[in-house]
Amino acid sequence: MRRRLLVVLLLFSATAVTAFALPLLSSTAAERTQRFTISRTADVDRFAALATGDREALTAEITAYTALYDEPVLVIDVQRRVVARSGDLSPDDPALAAAVDAALRNQPAAPVPTVRPWSGGPVVFARPVGTGTSVAGVVVLRASTERAAADVAVGWAWVLAGALAAALGCVLLALVVSRWLLRPLAELEGGVRAVAAGQQRAHVPGSSGPKELRALSESFNRMSDAVSEAADQQRRLIADTSHQLRNPLAALRLRMDVLSAQVGPDGTYRAAVAEVERLESLLDGLLALATAESTATEAAAGGREPALADLGAVVADRADFWSAEAEVPTGLAILVRWPESDVAQVLDVLLDNATKYGGGGRVSIGADRAGGTAWLEVVDHGPGLSAEDLPLATTRFWRGDTGGAKPRGTGLGLAIADRVATARGGALVLSPVDPHGLRARLTLPLEPPL
């Protein structure tokens, strides 16, 4: 935007400066040409007046003139005979023929071309001797335009210097105006990017620019505070709710345990215990989700760099815990920019999901590096998910079809894993396995080499 604004302002400035400079250049050349023409015409008229009198006075006058101005003068009669001459002019010179013929016929002289800095050729002035139809001769003056051209060059230099100064002033003014106008917009853009990245209470200075942009900056700051406050309240609500419900839930669990000795193995009692356990699992999931959201916000806002984790070691440890098959290249340290606890948390979620919904079949874990990133995947050979359900699997509280059986889990596991993955610069992708099953592939950023 700044470039486009500068282009418009500079084009307008260049057009305005050119519109003023060109007429000044033209008028400077025309004014000097007019003075040159008037001066030489007056000299020729004076010589024509002298030509009707004493020839010696005429000869002395044109000789002094040529010595002073270095411009030759020739006076001839109607038969083109030389009456007086100073310099190298000759009545037989072809360059004088047109001007002499016009003067002998008492015709107006041709206009003098406008003198410009590069003009260098002489100009011939011819004036008939006598009045009316009685032309007795012609006075011819070959005038040099060098001095007039030099004067025009000096005048043009001043005009161009003024135009250049005006152009530089316009450039500086355009830079100042564009900076004054666009700096608040750049600050607002930075603030929007900061909010989009998750930075809390991102503010812009808003102390410069037009009044409208300053008001917009103040509105943005208020909006940023409101958004941050709403996000904080949401996280606090989830965390406080899950935390505050633990005490009554623990008391309910104790009462259920005491009640078990009185009611025996009753179906209603077992269902109530299962619901208490599901509620405990749900609270744990909400707390984990709140922690993942907080981690994502801190990471997006440019918090501390995460610790490094050896992906192979974490996979081997969790595979042993879950009794899953692990396929990790031996002798290869895969260092990722993830905290080891986050890698273990996501892997536990994936393994728990594969164990619950994998139909009791084999669950395998793989890990390696490829294309500048590290990856790990958990594969089960259960019923898998349909193409319609795959995009929904990482949404909160979503639980797939269990074929009429009672749904298990809280629907938060994969949502937590996906949020942790994106917060740390990774990605979680679910895909089907041929002929059946589900593959959960997690990509992680590698630690760059030193």
Side-chain angles (χ1 to χ4, degrees):
M1 183 175 179
R2 183 171 185 267
R3 181 181 302 174
R4 293 193 294 270
L5 180 60
L6 283 176
V7 167
V8 172
L9 291 176
L10 293 179
L11 284 178
F12 175 77
S13 301
T15 303
V17 170
T18 303
F20 281 104
L22 288 180
L24 286 176
L25 294 175
S26 178
S27 64
T28 300
E31 186 272 335
R32 186 61 181 89
T33 302
Q34 185 180 23
R35 286 196 291 118
F36 170 74
T37 303
I38 292 173
S39 173
R40 295 306 185 268
T41 301
D43 293 336
V44 172
D45 289 342
R46 182 163 54 87
F47 296 148
L50 291 174
T52 60
D54 187 2
R55 289 190 178 184
E56 293 182 0
L58 172 63
T59 302
E61 185 72 20
I62 63 176
T63 300
Y65 181 86
T66 301
L68 180 62
Y69 295 107
D70 195 23
E71 295 177 351
V73 181
L74 174 66
V75 182
I76 60 176
D77 58 15
V78 292
Q79 283 78 31
R80 299 178 185 267
R81 293 190 300 264
V82 176
V83 176
R85 175 169 55 189
S86 64
D88 58 354
L89 286 181
S90 171
D92 300 326
D93 189 346
L96 308 179
V100 171
D101 291 342
L104 288 174
R105 292 192 294 269
N106 202 17
Q107 294 178 346
V112 177
T114 302
V115 179
R116 292 182 172 84
W118 52 86
S119 299
V123 178
V124 176
F125 291 86
R127 172 73 165 81
V129 177
T131 59
T133 58
S134 59
V135 176
V138 177
V139 177
V140 181
L141 168 64
R142 188 176 66 194
S144 173
T145 59
E146 291 181 359
R147 182 175 298 178
D151 292 343
V152 172
V154 172
W156 280 24
W158 281 106
V159 172
L160 292 177
L164 180 61
L168 291 176
C170 290
V171 170
L172 293 177
L173 181 61
L175 291 174
V176 171
V177 170
S178 63
R179 180 180 176 84
W180 180 68
L181 286 175
L182 299 182
R183 184 176 180 181
L185 295 179
E187 293 172 348
L188 282 171
E189 181 184 9
V192 171
R193 292 181 182 274
V195 171
Q199 182 175 340
Q200 295 292 312
R201 302 184 186 280
H203 283 189
V204 296
S207 58
S208 61
K211 179 177 67 176
E212 295 79 5
L213 291 180
R214 293 198 300 269
L216 181 60
S217 298
E218 295 175 359
S219 299
F220 173 83
N221 292 337
R222 291 194 296 269
M223 180 208 69
S224 177
D225 291 340
V227 170
S228 300
E229 182 64 27
D232 289 341
Q233 290 178 357
Q234 180 184 15
R235 285 191 294 269
R236 286 197 300 268
L237 176 63
I238 296 176
D240 292 347
T241 300
S242 60
H243 183 270
Q244 294 299 326
L245 287 178
R246 285 185 178 276
N247 290 335
L249 191 60
L252 180 60
R253 162 69 74 171
L254 290 175
R255 285 173 173 75
M256 293 296 294
D257 291 340
V258 172
L259 188 61
S260 64
Q262 303 177 14
V263 299
D266 181 72
T268 302
Y269 172 78
R270 288 196 300 270
V273 171
E275 288 300 323
V276 171
E277 292 175 348
R278 193 175 74 85
L279 186 56
E280 289 176 337
S281 178
L282 180 61
L283 291 177
D284 291 338
L286 288 173
L287 185 59
L289 183 60
T291 303
E293 292 284 355
S294 178
T295 300
T297 301
E298 292 177 359
R304 294 180 300 173
E305 284 290 324
L308 302 181
D310 185 343
L311 187 59
V314 176
V315 168
D317 176 70
R318 304 321 296 165
D320 180 67
F321 179 83
W322 287 90
S323 300
E325 299 181 9
E327 299 177 4
V328 182
T330 59
L332 179 62
I334 308 175
L335 293 180
V336 294
R337 283 185 288 121
W338 269 43
E340 186 173 317
S341 59
D342 285 1
V343 178
Q345 179 186 12
V346 173
L347 190 53
D348 283 342
V349 169
L350 299 182
L351 288 169
D352 179 62
N353 192 75
T355 302
K356 286 180 180 178
Y357 305 105
R362 181 174 59 90
V363 176
S364 59
I365 312 172
D368 205 343
R369 64 173 72 190
T373 59
W375 60 267
L376 69 84
E377 63 181 18
V378 175
V379 179
D380 67 65
H381 299 280
L385 294 174
S386 65
E388 293 79 11
D389 290 342
L390 279 175
L392 303 175
T394 55
T395 58
R396 301 176 183 180
F397 304 108
W398 183 87
R399 290 182 290 180
D401 185 13
T402 56
K406 185 178 181 180
R408 292 176 288 175
T410 61
L412 290 175
L414 289 178
I416 294 172
D418 181 69
R419 196 70 185 98
V420 172
T422 55
R424 294 298 186 187
L428 177 63
V429 178
L430 305 179
S431 59
V433 176
D434 189 27
H436 55 80
L438 182 67
R439 172 182 286 104
R441 187 181 182 94
L442 176 68
T443 57
L444 309 94
L446 283 171
E447 171 64 15
L450 298 177

